[in-house]
């Protein structure tokens, strides 16, 4: 692709550029906008990832320019002037200008009469930034193509209606499935009142995450563990159960190679109903340095709460009688705090409860070429489970990747 398109599609797994649908101009430019949107992954939450591409026909194009840009568009059938991109933008981080504002700033006066391809309905309310709808209208944009409506209650169709009232042509639904996939965590938090939950575990060929004695260091390779740290670096929180906290004594911090910075500092969350976590654990020693949230149940002693708060941790106490009820309340609380992506690193009891509650959305499973055996060895997902194999939960379009000697299997749960 020529210079104007370079770097616009950093995560190709979302977009099939060889699809016959690429012959649609709307599809072509929307997929460029989706590629822009992915650049904000890990930075924009709790806001969505949004990209915008501003396009207008080039009435003064030369024959050589036309041929070059038609080649860039990979066979799109165009009889009139070839559209030229005049502005590109994406939402960089929470609180920063929205994608439309950045694209309009880059386009300047060239935005008048342009078509705006936006991956999510433009906002129509005042938040940390002014409404994008007003900016598009003021800039003189002729047409707005958006992939999907915004489920955020203060928008929810209001932005599209405002554009139509201003006489702007509006098209909705271009690349809708890709946009919904991209912002599934954002939509989940708004519609289900809980974060997007990603289950992560490393297991042997015979499906064990630890031996019968509880030994689990290390199941996977060093390269796989580095991948986990990169996954952690875009999370809002890392969730584990009390047994994992006691037996593994993890730090749950993000540790990347020198010069590589994390996108976020995730909160360490321990689901510890009885308040049993050790006062000498790695989590306790780092409670003042990295956010730590302990989730206590009704049987945790009051002095435990006082102790941990003195250590610098936050304690969220619940009186609900069952693990399942407390997990549901915890999900609601994390959502209320604006947490969008949570990585659950086990153990099997906690992952099993989340699975039974239909709260697992995605998995990263590292399979090591090892066998430990033992009927009492620890399995990754406990709980009640599925009764019949034909009802087993499947992954949508699972992806497979070799990392050193391990195989990573990842995908979203169907």
């Amino acid at each position: 692709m020529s210079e104007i398109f370079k770097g616009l599609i950093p995560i190709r797994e979302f977009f099939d550029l060889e699809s016959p649908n690429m012959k649609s101009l709307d599809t072509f430019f929307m997929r460029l906008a989706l590629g822009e949107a992915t650049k904000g992954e890990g930075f924009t939450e709790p806001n969505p990832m949004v990209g915008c591409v501003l396009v207008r026909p080039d009435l003064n194009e030369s024959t050589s320019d036309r041929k070059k840009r038609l080649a860039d568009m990979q066979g799109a059938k165009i009889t009139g002037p070839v559209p030229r991109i005049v502005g590109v933008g994406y939402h960089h981080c929470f609180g920063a200008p929205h994608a439309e504002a950045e694209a309009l700033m880059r386009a300047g006066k060239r935005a008048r009469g342009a078509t705006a391809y936006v991956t999510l309905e433009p906002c129509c309310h005042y938040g940390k930034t002014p409404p994008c709808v007003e900016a598009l209208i003021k800039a003189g944009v002729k047409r707005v193509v958006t992939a999907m409506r915004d489920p955020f209650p203060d928008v929810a169709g209001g932005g599209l209606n405002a554009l139509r009232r201003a006489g702007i042509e509006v098209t909705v639904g271009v690349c809708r499935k890709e946009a919904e996939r991209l912002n599934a965590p954002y939509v989940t938090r708004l519609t289900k009142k809980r974060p997007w939950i990603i289950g992560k575990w490393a297991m042997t060929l015979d499906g064990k995450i630890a031996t019968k004695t509880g030994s689990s260091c290390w199941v996977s390779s060093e390269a796989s563990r580095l991948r986990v740290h990169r996954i952690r670096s875009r999370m809002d929180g890392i969730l584990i159960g009390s047994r994992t906290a006691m037996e593994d004594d993890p730090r749950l911090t993000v540790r990347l190679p020198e010069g590589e910075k994390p996108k976020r500092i995730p909160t360490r969350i321990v689901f510890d109903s009885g308040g049993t976590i050790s006062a000498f654990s790695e989590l306790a020693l780092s409670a003042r340095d990295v956010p730590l949230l302990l989730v206590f149940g009704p049987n945790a002693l009051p002095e435990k709460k006082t102790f941990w708060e003195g250590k610098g941790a936050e304690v969220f106490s619940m009186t609900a009688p069952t693990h399942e009820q407390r997990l549901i309340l915890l999900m609601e609380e994390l959502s209320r705090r604006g947490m969008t992506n949570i990585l659950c690193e086990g153990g099997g009891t906690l992952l099993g409860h989340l699975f039974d509650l239909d709260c697992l959305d995605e998995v990263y499973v590292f399979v090591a070429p090892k066998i430990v055996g033992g009927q009492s060895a620890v399995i990754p997902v406990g709980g009640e489970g599925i009764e019949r194999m034909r009802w087993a939960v499947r992954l949508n379009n699972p992806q497979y990747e070799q990392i050193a000697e391990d195989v990573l299997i990842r995908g979203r749960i169907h």
Side-chain angles (χ1 to χ4, degrees), residues 38 68 103 112 142 179 227 260 295 319 365 382 405:
T38 62
K68 187 175 182 181
R112 185 161 297 279
K142 181 181 179 180
R227 173 63 68 86
E260 190 173 336
V295 183
T319 58
V365 181
E405 61 182 12

Side-chain angles (χ1 to χ4, degrees), residues 288-310:
R288 295 193 186 278
D289 302 318
V290 184
L292 175 63
L293 175 64
L294 302 180
V295 183
F296 286 177
N299 296 326
L301 298 174
E303 51 265 34
K304 291 280 189 179
K305 182 176 188 295
T306 302
F307 170 82
W308 281 103
E309 288 176 340

Side-chain angles (χ1 to χ4, degrees), residues 7 12 14 101 113 120 122 124-125 148 158 171-172 174 178 189 196 216 242 246 273 292 324 335 337 342 368 409:
R12 300 182 67 90
F14 284 105
L120 186 69
C124 55
H125 67 293
M148 60 179 286
T171 301
V172 183
V174 176
E178 291 99 321
R189 191 179 68 81
W196 181 264
S216 62
S242 57
M246 288 187 292
S273 296
L292 175 63
E324 289 79 5
S335 172
R337 295 178 181 218
I342 300 294
I409 304 172

Side-chain angles (χ1 to χ4, degrees), residues 1 118 189 220 247 272:
M1 283 192 164
V118 192
R189 191 179 68 81
S220 60
E247 295 186 356
D272 185 16

Side-chain angles (χ1 to χ4, degrees), residues 256-262:
L256 298 174
E258 186 175 354
E260 190 173 336
K261 294 183 179 180

Side-chain angles (χ1 to χ4, degrees), residues 6 49 57 78 102-103 144 176 195 198 210 216 221 227 242 249 288 336 338 385:
K6 281 184 179 177
M49 291 177 276
I78 304 170
E102 183 179 55
V144 172
R176 177 180 58 82
I198 302 171
S216 62
S221 66
R227 173 63 68 86
S242 57
D249 192 21
R288 295 193 186 278
R336 187 191 65 79

